[in-house]
Structures are given as C-alpha cells and as structure tokens.
Amino acid sequence: MIKSLEEQGYSCNPLYLESFALIDGTYKMVYKAIMRIVDMKFDLDKCIINSPCKPFTPYLCLESIEDDEINILEKVPDRFNVYLFLGEYEFYESTNEYSVDFTKDYTNHANEYLWTDGGAPPQETCFRYYKLVERLGLNTSTGNLEGFGRSFWVREKYTIPTGSPAPLGYKFIGTVGVNDIYARPLMVFHADYTSVQVPIGEITQTTFEWRYGALSNNSKFVTNAIKLQDVLEWYAEQCGLTVSSDFFQINPANPSPDNYVINARNQYTKLYLIQKTDVKKPNATQPATKGIMRFDYLNESLQTLFDTRYVIEETTLKYEHISRFSKTMKLDATIIENGKWVVGQRKFEFDSDEMPKKQLFKAMEQNNVDFVGKPIEYFDNCTDKANEQKNNCQNITTDILHVIDQPDKISDEGFVLVACEEHDGKLYLAQTTGILTNNEVGNNVLGFAQLHNYFHRHRRIRKTGILNGITTTFLSEKPSKKCVDITFPFKDITLFEPDQLVKGPLGNGEVKQALYEIKNDTLRVTLMITNAVGSAPGIPDDNGAIPKSIFLKIVLEDKRAFSIPYPNPYGFPGPGYDGFLYNLYVYAWADAAATIPAYPSNFIINYKNKYYRNGTQIGGDDQVPKQIAGHKTLLQNDVWGDYTDTDGNNDENVFELYPSSNYTII
C-alpha cells in the first residue's frame, strides 16, 4: 500500500493512523495519528517501516500554521482610526507673578513650582504645569539680582452637547451654554526640559519649558488599525473554528462590562493592532499594506501581557485568563486495586529548573517606566538565583507615544497594540494613572506595571514575591514538587483527561507527562503537587489512628549570637554567658525515607530542656506535653547551644524528647 501511494505521488500527503483496542467486548479507537511517507524509514530486508507520528488532536491544524508568516493586512479587510485625544489642548496663563527665589534649583521647576503660584488653576481642573517664564535683572539701587516669574498650564478639553454620554476617562468640568465641558491631564509623550535666555535691555528673560511631545505633534489620530478580534477570527476560520472569550468579551458566553479577574470595568474589550509604520508616519499618504504576523508570536504576546491561554472546545477557540482554567480530580490512582500500585511511592523532589529567581517581561521598544515595568521576583532561597525566565512579546509593543515621539529609533517591523475607549463613534486611547510614575499616559493600561498588577497574581513561581517593587502574597502558586512516576493498570485510555488532576499517594497533582502502553494497558504519570498530603496506606488523616511507625527528628537552624548577663532572671550562676541561639524544629515522618505528612490535632509529643555546666544540670524545664495541630513542623522552640562563659566552664543545652508508643525518636 505504501509503495502504491508513493507511486501515485502521495509521498508528502498526510496519512491517518487509527489504533483500536478491545475494551469490555467492544473495539474503541484509542489513538489517532498523522504521518507522511516522506518521513518514514524503510528496511526492505526485514520488511520494517519506522514512521514518526503526530497525535491527531483538535490543535493540530493551528499548530501546522502557527509559524507561517502571514501578511495579516491582506487577510483582515476592516480598518479603523484611533484618536490620540478627542478634544483640543487648552492653555492657561497664571494671573499672578511671584518673586524668584535664587536659592532654588532651576532645573527642577516641574516639581519646585507646581501649585505654588498664587494664580495657578485648581488642580482638579486637570491642568498640567508645562512652562515658566522668568525675567531676571540687576537692581541698581541694591546691587542684587531680582526677578519675577509667571507659570503656564495646559490640559485637554473636550466639549460635547449637554446630555450626551460622558466620555470614559474624562472629568466633568462644567456646562457652558448648551455644551458640557470635560477634561483630562495632558497625555505625556515625553517632557524634555529646556531653557532659553533672551536679553531685553538690562533684563534677561529666561523661559523654562517642559516640551511635551503631544504639544508639538500634529497628529490627532492614527489610521489603518485592525481589530485583534478580526485577527483571531481569521486564524480560527482557517481551521473551521469560531472564537469566544469572556476575558476579551469576544462573542462571550457570559457578557459583562466587568473583567472577571479584577472584578472591575473591563478596559480590554476594544484591542486594536496598528502596523508600526502607520504610527511612525501618521501623516503618510499611503498607509501600510504589509504587516507580517505569526500565530505563535501572537499567542506568546497575549500570554506575556495578559497571562491568557487558549483551548479548543468542540469547534470553539477560547481565550481566557489562566485563573479560569481550574482543574478537578478525575482519576484516583490510590484506589486502583486497593492502592497497591502507589505503595512506597510517597516521594518527590523540587523541580528547581522551573523555579526562576526572576520573571522578566519584555515587548518591542518600550520606553516609559510604566510600560517597561519591573520583573516579578522571588526572594526565598528555594528559587535559583542564576535562573531567569524570559517572557517576550515577539512582534508587539504597546508604548505608542514612544513610537510616535521617537520614530527614528523604532523598527518598521511589528505592530502596536492599543486599548481603546469609544465615544460618539470615535475610538481613543484608554489611559489611567500610572502605577510607577503616577502620570496619565495614553495606552498605559497596556503597560506591564498595570498588567502585572491586574493579571499576574495567579500561578506564580512562589506564594510570595515582589510585584511592581512591593512584597506581594500571590493568589496562587504553580506546583513545584515533582513526584516519582507511578504506573498502574488503565485499560480504557479514552477516559484519561491529562488536563485534569490525578490523585496520587501525596494528594491531587497536575499531570506533567504521561505514557500509555497499549500492549499491557498501563498508564505511567508524573505528577506535580504544591503540598504533600497523605492518603496512601499507613498514613493517618484527621479521622484515623496514629500508626506506630512515626519517626521524629530534631533539627537546629538559624544560628545567631546571644548574651546573658549576671545576675539574670533565669537564676543561672555567674559570670555571664556569651554564645549562640538556635531555632529548634521537630519534624515527623511516617517512615524513615518518606516526606512529612499532616497529622491529627490530637497528636502529642513530650519534651523538655536541660541546661548543664561541666556535666551538672543547673536548670531546665519539667517534662512538657506538646499538643500539635497537624502541621509539618510539630514543634518550634528557641534553645541555646555552643555557648561558653567567661570563666571557661563547659556549658551546654540539651533538648530531650520523651519516648512514646506513638513515635520513634531518630
């Protein structure tokens, strides 16, 4: 058959392999794969053909086109204008002059003189300070330099007919005649400081100006934008799929004005892509006709920005936030043949390769601090200092004002992704107060600082870390403990759901990898867990009895110096004591090699401290029964050790665990 297909010219065409197994008297298809003759290896002497196979899954079509370079501007017909601002810039000159203080640093006027001029506009009116003009001269009667200054302000003012819907992101200022006045602070491109001096007779006039790019840019909007939704739908159509997303509100199953991750208004429902040359050259007579896109780059960018993933359910391509993909236990390996396949398998190790010290995030040509953001860092000793995880937007930037303001520094390849609001049929850049800069900057809702704050608190490397420079307890962490492989009989592989949880000897775990052997009907899985809990034979739970095979171990940690004077409240004889203090921990194991399970609240250990000098006890506690509450660390106590006194006596502390029928001391 293979030879016949080859002769007919089908060497490069896909062939489909279906594997069936007899399960409970019925043949079921357990595996479907795709292969090609051109990929096969032939041994004519032994009549053997070896062929690599790819599993035939709903994702195969998208995977086959994910690295194709597509001119997406040819595929998506609809175009849109995106306004940088809706209104007009309104300028304000202060009504008062003020004396110049020559002790101040004139290179910092933006902060030094902000709101100090008696004629400044009220801050709530959204004016932004941008220029100071000073006249300096010599007072011939006193011989001193004297001067006066006047400040200038600017805002964006948007006028609409009274009763019209309010534009999002603007502040209502008042009503003038038949119009409502809205305003917002100047959208900052950049603010270069400059000083210009002009002699006027015996007086020198100096102008200090913060030149915002927005004031000198002639473009009110950029053209040729395409919807992110249209791009995703084009890719889906190539594989006979439709697109749905509650997160982006694309054909949503659950329409809502709020984003379900942050439970606040969703500013990410109107996302548009603009080829970078259309942003660099907004006044060009010919808009871009070529914009190369790759599906894998696009998905990597969406994951880096929003922490989203996509899945295929039947004929729907769904994009949702990582928090939406909850997992439930669908397979319990501990009850198969009474758990005999998991006995002695309560073992794990930390997957240190997947525990970086930093997670770095980068897009193309970001400049503003709120867009660049900061790494997400983990400060405990479990993470690998030399390991940094890089997350990239391969073909996308979001810092649109940087692209407009510095076009000579920006490459032509790639796209600018923008988040828009809409008012009166016009799309305009969404913006908010910057987390790191406290500035209102267009499109900064797509800066990494804002996105990290909103969407990067789930499935982090560790439960605690540093986000936007602040110590943060995250909402969930990624499982970091890799269990030893467990193998067990599993006849009907069609019932296995690898994207759900499997219960193993240390609790429910995510499937890191799985291998099904058709010839002997066995399934081997590697599970990832967050916490090791006990449910295998011999491990107690809160309703069970304590087994006799429990081992206790003492560990001294966190050595630090201490000093005890004489006299002292402990009744110790003089002279004083200098030495080291330890934290002491007692750990419990169900067997000598296993990890620490949780124990019932009625588990009791008995211990006491004794203090010796030259072999003679000089103090100590009586026997203390210690009740513990099912924690891995059964006991924590400060103890002394390795200490000496000034007269050279041999002093030591001894911690003793009393024997018990409930445990064995090791």
Side-chain angles (χ1 to χ4, degrees):
M1 181 184 71
I2 297 295
K3 183 174 178 60
S4 174
L5 290 172
E6 182 183 8
E7 290 174 348
Q8 295 178 57
Y10 292 111
S11 296
C12 298
N13 290 55
L15 304 177
Y16 297 95
L17 171 68
E18 295 180 350
S19 176
F20 289 81
L22 183 61
I23 301 173
D24 297 329
T26 303
Y27 281 98
K28 283 188 177 182
M29 186 178 67
V30 296
Y31 184 69
K32 186 175 182 179
I34 188 170
M35 63 184 74
R36 298 187 308 168
I37 296 175
V38 72
D39 299 321
M40 297 177 180
K41 294 182 179 180
F42 300 87
D43 186 334
L44 300 182
D45 294 326
K46 297 182 179 180
C47 295
I48 295 176
I49 299 175
N50 288 318
S51 177
C53 300
K54 288 184 177 181
F56 187 82
T57 71
Y59 298 88
L60 189 61
C61 175
L62 288 175
E63 291 170 355
S64 69
I65 62 173
E66 67 179 4
D67 58 356
D68 292 348
E69 294 189 346
I70 303 296
N71 183 3
I72 201 66
L73 296 184
E74 289 184 345
K75 308 299 182 182
V76 176
D78 293 338
R79 297 292 188 271
F80 302 86
N81 294 333
V82 174
Y83 283 76
L84 305 179
F85 51 94
L86 289 177
E88 304 294 336
Y89 286 131
E90 180 182 27
F91 297 90
Y92 179 88
E93 181 178 347
S94 63
T95 57
N96 294 348
E97 289 189 340
Y98 57 89
S99 297
V100 176
D101 184 350
F102 291 98
T103 65
K104 295 184 181 294
D105 179 4
Y106 287 103
T107 63
N108 195 29
H109 286 303
N111 295 324
E112 198 69 54
Y113 286 97
L114 190 59
W115 309 117
T116 60
D117 183 355
Q123 189 168 5
E124 63 269 17
T125 60
C126 299
F127 279 100
R128 185 187 295 275
Y129 181 86
Y130 86 99
K131 185 168 67 174
L132 171 70
V133 178
E134 294 179 342
R135 297 186 301 280
L136 309 177
L138 181 67
N139 186 323
T140 55
S141 62
T142 63
N144 296 326
L145 281 173
E146 294 181 355
F148 295 91
R150 188 183 293 273
S151 56
F152 296 79
W153 312 78
V154 65
R155 69 179 178 184
E156 181 193 343
K157 184 177 73 171
Y158 185 41
T159 303
I160 59 176
T162 299
S164 299
L168 295 171
Y170 286 77
K171 183 174 182 177
F172 177 70
I173 301 301
T175 299
V176 178
V178 296
N179 294 319
D180 289 339
I181 308 300
Y182 289 84
R184 65 177 179 177
L186 177 70
M187 186 170 59
V188 179
F189 287 34
H190 72 284
D192 289 340
Y193 166 81
T194 185
S195 172
V196 178
Q197 293 184 340
V198 179
I200 304 176
E202 295 183 356
I203 298 175
T204 300
Q205 177 172 297
T206 306
T207 300
F208 302 91
E209 183 173 2
W210 289 263
R211 298 179 300 179
Y212 299 111
L215 295 177
S216 58
N217 189 278
N218 294 323
S219 301
K220 192 171 183 177
F221 59 84
V222 292
T223 64
N224 211 32
I226 57 177
K227 277 186 181 181
L228 173 66
Q229 175 177 341
D230 291 346
V231 174
L232 295 177
E233 288 182 337
W234 182 86
Y235 277 109
E237 288 168 1
Q238 309 314 299
C239 298
L241 303 171
T242 59
V243 177
S244 177
S245 174
D246 286 349
F247 184 88
F248 296 120
Q249 288 292 291
I250 298 174
N251 305 316
N254 301 287
S256 174
D258 292 339
N259 184 285
Y260 60 78
V261 181
I262 59 176
N263 294 316
R265 188 174 69 85
N266 198 341
Q267 293 182 287
Y268 305 96
T269 63
K270 295 180 175 64
L271 298 176
Y272 291 79
L273 290 159
I274 312 169
Q275 210 286 323
K276 282 200 294 186
T277 57
D278 287 321
V279 181
K280 292 172 58 177
K281 307 169 184 176
N283 299 313
T285 56
Q286 176 63 46
T289 58
K290 184 177 181 181
I292 300 301
M293 176 73 69
R294 284 177 42 161
F295 187 61
D296 55 352
Y297 284 179
L298 178 59
N299 284 306
E300 183 180 359
S301 296
L302 295 178
Q303 179 174 328
T304 298
L305 293 167
F306 304 104
D307 212 6
T308 53
R309 307 291 190 276
Y310 77 83
V311 296
I312 297 176
E313 295 182 1
E314 297 181 351
T315 60
T316 303
L317 177 63
K318 291 189 173 183
Y319 282 86
E320 300 297 348
H321 186 260
I322 189 68
S323 63
R324 175 64 71 89
F325 298 105
S326 60
K327 299 173 184 285
T328 58
M329 192 274 288
K330 293 296 184 69
L331 173 60
D332 188 349
T334 68
I335 63 174
I336 297 175
E337 297 185 11
N338 295 320
K340 79 173 191 177
W341 297 96
V342 298
V343 172
Q345 300 300 310
R346 293 182 299 107
K347 305 168 186 176
F348 70 86
E349 63 182 1
F350 283 90
D351 195 1
S352 58
D353 291 341
E354 299 295 327
M355 299 173 65
K357 193 74 171 178
K358 291 182 181 180
Q359 291 179 290
L360 306 176
F361 298 80
K362 185 179 181 181
M364 299 180 76
E365 300 146 335
Q366 308 277 74
N367 179 65
N368 182 283
V369 173
D370 283 314
F371 287 87
V372 175
K374 293 184 176 183
I376 298 177
E377 302 182 70
Y378 307 93
F379 46 75
D380 64 20
N381 292 325
C382 290
T383 50
D384 185 354
K385 294 181 179 179
N387 189 356
E388 295 183 345
Q389 182 191 88
K390 296 181 179 179
N391 304 272
N392 295 317
C393 296
Q394 295 279 6
N395 204 34
I396 284 175
T397 183
T398 60
D399 194 351
I400 183 173
L401 303 187
H402 176 53
V403 178
I404 292 173
D405 198 47
Q406 303 289 332
D408 294 339
K409 299 180 180 180
I410 307 299
S411 64
D412 287 345
E413 295 73 25
F415 296 83
V416 179
L417 179 69
V418 295
C420 295
E421 308 283 12
E422 185 173 358
H423 186 263
D424 196 24
K426 293 180 179 179
L427 298 169
Y428 62 98
L429 293 181
Q431 67 183 51
T432 188
T433 302
I435 288 180
L436 300 179
T437 65
N438 204 39
N439 284 334
E440 298 269 351
V441 180
N443 209 41
N444 64 354
V445 298
L446 289 179
F448 278 121
Q450 191 71 31
L451 295 173
H452 286 171
N453 182 57
Y454 278 169
F455 305 126
H456 289 259
R457 296 174 179 267
H458 298 78
R459 286 184 67 84
R460 303 271 46 100
I461 302 302
R462 305 292 287 171
K463 185 64 174 177
T464 304
I466 301 174
L467 185 145
N468 285 330
I470 300 173
T471 299
T472 302
T473 299
F474 297 114
L475 298 177
S476 63
E477 64 178 308
K478 184 179 178 182
S480 58
K481 300 180 178 75
K482 183 171 69 173
C483 302
V484 297
D485 292 354
I486 55 174
T487 303
F488 48 88
F490 198 80
K491 195 169 186 179
D492 191 351
I493 192 60
T494 63
L495 300 178
F496 179 52
E497 300 179 58
D499 57 340
Q500 299 299 321
L501 301 178
V502 173
K503 187 175 183 179
L506 292 173
N508 294 337
E510 297 183 4
V511 179
K512 182 179 178 69
Q513 60 185 24
L515 175 65
Y516 178 65
E517 294 192 10
I518 298 176
K519 64 180 181 180
N520 53 14
D521 291 329
T522 59
L523 180 63
R524 185 173 74 209
V525 295
T526 305
L527 301 181
M528 298 296 299
I529 60 174
T530 301
N531 296 308
V533 297
S535 60
I539 301 178
D541 57 28
D542 283 342
N543 298 315
I546 302 298
K548 302 294 185 179
S549 58
I550 294 179
F551 294 81
L552 300 183
K553 186 175 181 180
I554 303 171
V555 180
L556 292 175
E557 297 178 352
D558 304 328
K559 179 179 177 181
R560 57 196 187 277
F562 84 96
S563 178
I564 298 178
Y566 177 79
N568 57 71
Y570 310 108
F572 294 166
Y577 303 85
D578 295 301
F580 297 95
L581 189 68
Y582 289 84
N583 270 337
L584 179 143
Y585 300 88
V586 177
Y587 295 107
W589 284 261
D591 59 64
T595 54
I596 306 167
Y599 287 91
S601 58
N602 61 353
F603 183 55
I604 294 176
I605 62 174
N606 302 308
Y607 71 94
K608 69 178 180 180
N609 291 332
K610 294 180 180 179
Y611 309 109
Y612 290 85
R613 168 170 289 178
N614 291 328
T616 301
Q617 184 174 353
I618 61 173
D621 298 330
D622 294 331
Q623 178 177 339
V624 179
K626 176 69 175 180
Q627 182 170 329
I628 55 111
H631 297 297
K632 297 176 183 179
T633 304
L634 302 184
L635 173 69
Q636 177 180 341
N637 189 47
D638 281 342
V639 298
W640 299 327
D642 291 352
Y643 60 90
T644 59
D645 60 84
T646 54
D647 62 6
N649 292 323
N650 179 24
D651 298 322
E652 63 180 338
N653 168 248
V654 176
F655 181 91
E656 290 189 359
L657 281 170
Y658 279 77
S660 169
S661 61
N662 280 341
Y663 54 77
T664 301
I665 302 170
I666 60 173

